[in-house]
Amino acid sequence: HLVDKGHLFDQIGVNYSGAEATRVQSYRSQSRNLTMVARMLHDFQTADVLDVACGFGVTTLAVAAHNPRSITSIDPSETLTSLAKLIMQNDDDITAWYEQHDGHRLLGESFHQTVDYIAALRNGFKECLFHEQGKQPSILQAGLMEFDLAAQYDVVTLNNGLHWVVSHRLQPEVDPPASETMRAVLVKALRKIRILMKKGGVFVFQSPKIFVEFVEPELEVHFTKHLAQAHPVLNILNAKVREIFETEQGIQRTVGTSPPFIYRLREMSEVAQESGFRLAETIHMEETLLSDDVLGYFKLLIPINLGDIDVPMAEKVRVVNEAAARIKPEASRLPQNHYIPDHWHIFALFAD
């Protein structure tokens, strides 16, 4: 469901951090890989880095571990930038922050696990050289298309967020958007990023496989079949959530369809050139994420993806928790309740 990222994550930011606090930690794994690619292509010690769509700062933390000259982090969500500042800019009480954001009700039994995770991120940041040298990231509430510090950055990172920029700009115009329109808006977003960069800089971004179209049909079939979005535990839970909303509240929720491709690998070299970049690398990443309780992870994640249902976030959480309780015996018997296959793609572009 394509909605404004800032508005959405103001509503779901607490649950988003709770899902990441589980053992799965897919976003943290993606951030480390993304940053390592950027570090291989550019000297970080002399780099001014911009982290776009920083969320609550997981990629910013990965960048800080490589001690660049400076970091600027932007995100349109007030909730997420507030949490990022809590981790990297002040020593305010983490428990109090979550209590003020209705954390007990939204996170339930995951409340203390989430608080402990955020505290661990803060302590990890304090031990990195970037912090010990007296530096801290500048964290700003701003969307990419509104940000206007031109030609300032040597490195730009963007983890799992460019599709929000492209999709939101398209939604009022075409639904579903045509591939030609999708490409045009992607070029516009990339040109905006190029304006923010110094010549010779590197832009590295990551996308879930669901938005990437492979050249080889057999690879497309294989990776689509094994997407995290096709996980059997998630399918069972989604079906039960849909059933509860329909029977208890009369809310008809249609089965979601796959979103349109944004990044077609056969076109990305041309798209980069049109945008003022040169395509340096495309890297497909696969990882099996282990968990003692995949159902518990999806239980925290699903409320985030119910943007098409106009009820308060707490009610979405209640329904998902009820659905998870009903399917727990069935889900627990599945071997897939202990792992999630994850696939994503990293693109690296040089600013010409």
Side-chain angles (χ1 to χ4, degrees), residues 190-197 199 275-277 351-352:
L190 291 174
R191 284 176 177 169
K192 171 63 178 182
I193 292 168
R194 177 61 187 89
I195 289 171
L196 301 175
M197 298 180 64
K199 186 174 181 179
S275 309
F277 288 99
D352 283 340

Side-chain angles (χ1 to χ4, degrees), residues 313-330:
M313 188 65 183
E315 176 61 11
K316 295 177 184 179
V317 170
R318 184 198 70 78
V319 170
V320 172
N321 286 345
E322 175 64 25
R326 294 185 191 181
I327 70 161
K328 187 172 183 178
E330 180 183 1

Side-chain angles (χ1 to χ4, degrees), residues 11 14 89 115 144 178 185 223 256 267:
Q11 299 177 54
V14 170
Q89 288 188 348
V115 169
L144 170 64
V185 177
F223 290 122
E267 300 177 0

Side-chain angles (χ1 to χ4, degrees), residues 7 9 27 46-47 69 74 84 100 112-113 130 156 163-164 176 179 181 184 216 231 235 237 248 265 276 291 321 352:
H7 176 69
F9 277 85
Y27 192 58
T46 61
R69 181 165 55 196
I74 63 171
Q100 292 165 7
H112 295 292
Q113 173 182 266
F130 185 82
V156 176
H163 58 274
W164 287 100
S179 59
T181 305
E216 304 88 344
H231 197 284
N235 289 338
L237 183 55
E248 292 186 5
L265 293 186
S291 174
N321 286 345
D352 283 340

Side-chain angles (χ1 to χ4, degrees), residues 52-67:
V52 178
C54 68
F56 61 94
V58 175
T59 303
T60 301
L61 289 164
V63 170
H66 294 273
N67 194 30

Side-chain angles (χ1 to χ4, degrees), residues 6 101 198 317:
H101 289 79
K198 300 174 186 176
V317 170

